[in-house]
Amino acid sequence: GAGVSQSPSNKVTEKGKDVELRCDPISGHTALYWYRQSLGQGLEFLIYFQGNSAPDKSGLPSDRFSAERTGGSVSTLTIQRTQQEDSAVYLCASSPGGHFNQPQHFGDGTRLSIL
Amino acid sequence: DQQVKQNSPSLSVQEGRISILNCDYSNSMFDYFLWYKKYPAEGPTFLISISSIKDKNEDGRFTVFLNKSAKHLSLHIVPSQPGDSAVYFCAARYGGATNKLIFGTGTLLAVQP
């Protein structure tokens, strides 16, 4: 497809389980971002990948959160030992390059619910 | 400490009139500002942006104004249409090596027919 694709669109899991969220960026985009939106809040930055550079992980809320990007394309966000406060919409975005005035284009997100 | 603030959680406007959405920021290191529009159950859609070296950018019905001395950003929609009803997010980017965006909490715009 032409846009950013995220899967699954919805995920319900029990507290303490691990979850993996997937993001397929727009083809050719070298920059990839993860954000999350909790209920009634704005988007909160989590992590940023740019090409082969070390990712900016400054937004990850705890060491239970990790992300990787394989082959410079698909990214997976992993949350270990999920807690109820992890419930949110997790949004992925991509852009053509990391250091130019190019807007980030978002997928439709994964709605994560922790029971 | 919220670095990007949208103090109006909601705004209601009549069709055909002007909608003005406001955003304030506190960090003078921001060098690029964006507005996104979001419908329920969809991701944010890029609307318009402005570099910190400019004070105005226009695209069709949408104009963004930047007042750096006041650290204030506004989005004008003229004329407003019912299809513009959505949540609008203001976002700002740090200059330098990072490209992460800092978002406001959003303003829900309702355009009444």
Side-chain angles (χ1 to χ4, degrees):
Chain A
V4 176
S5 178
Q6 292 188 245
S7 60
S9 53
N10 285 283
K11 177 73 176 178
V12 181
T13 192
E14 293 179 349
K15 177 181 169 181
K17 300 285 188 183
D18 297 352
V19 294
E20 282 191 355
L21 312 179
R22 177 188 168 104
C23 173
D24 282 275
I26 293 172
S27 178
H29 281 191
T30 60
L32 186 147
Y33 318 78
W34 283 97
Y35 295 84
R36 72 175 176 182
Q37 184 181 17
S38 302
L39 192 63
Q41 302 298 312
L43 280 72
E44 173 192 6
F45 168 79
L46 297 177
I47 189 169
Y48 157 52
F49 296 91
Q50 170 53 43
N52 295 322
S53 302
D56 176 358
K57 303 180 182 180
S58 61
L60 295 179
S62 78
D63 59 8
R64 296 186 296 104
F65 286 73
S66 63
E68 61 178 24
R69 189 177 185 194
T70 53
S73 181
V74 172
S75 177
T76 302
L77 177 69
T78 301
I79 310 173
Q80 296 179 307
R81 305 180 303 282
T82 52
Q83 304 294 313
Q84 287 186 330
E85 62 263 28
D86 299 336
S87 296
V89 177
Y90 288 80
L91 291 152
C92 177
S94 69
S95 67
H99 303 298
F100 302 98
N101 286 351
Q102 297 277 2
Q104 298 173 22
H105 298 274
F106 285 82
D108 287 339
T110 293
R111 181 173 296 277
L112 178 63
S113 300
I114 309 299
L115 303 178
Chain B
D1 178 32
Q2 216 174 341
Q3 299 186 68
V4 178
K5 291 184 180 179
Q6 294 178 256
N7 291 318
S8 298
S10 64
L11 175 68
S12 183
V13 171
Q14 288 292 319
E15 181 178 6
R17 299 289 186 103
I18 184 171
S19 295
I20 300 176
L21 297 105
N22 294 303
C23 178
D24 296 297
Y25 63 95
S26 57
N27 195 324
S28 57
M29 292 297 293
F30 292 144
D31 68 350
Y32 181 53
F33 301 88
L34 308 91
W35 284 94
Y36 283 85
K37 173 180 174 180
K38 187 179 183 303
Y39 294 117
E42 294 184 10
T45 301
F46 169 70
L47 205 54
I48 192 168
S49 63
I50 187 166
S51 165
S52 60
I53 62 173
K54 295 187 174 182
D55 55 18
K56 177 183 174 181
N57 189 26
E58 192 172 351
D59 184 2
R61 296 186 298 115
F62 303 92
T63 303
V64 56
F65 295 92
L66 175 62
N67 182 333
K68 286 183 67 177
S69 60
K71 293 190 174 66
H72 180 80
L73 192 69
S74 64
L75 174 68
H76 293 209
I77 306 174
V78 183
S80 301
Q81 299 173 353
D84 296 329
S85 298
V87 177
Y88 288 78
F89 289 98
C90 167
R93 188 191 72 181
Y94 283 106
T98 184
N99 203 40
K100 66 184 181 186
L101 296 179
I102 308 299
F103 282 82
T105 51
T107 296
L108 174 61
L109 174 66
V111 180
Q112 309 295 336

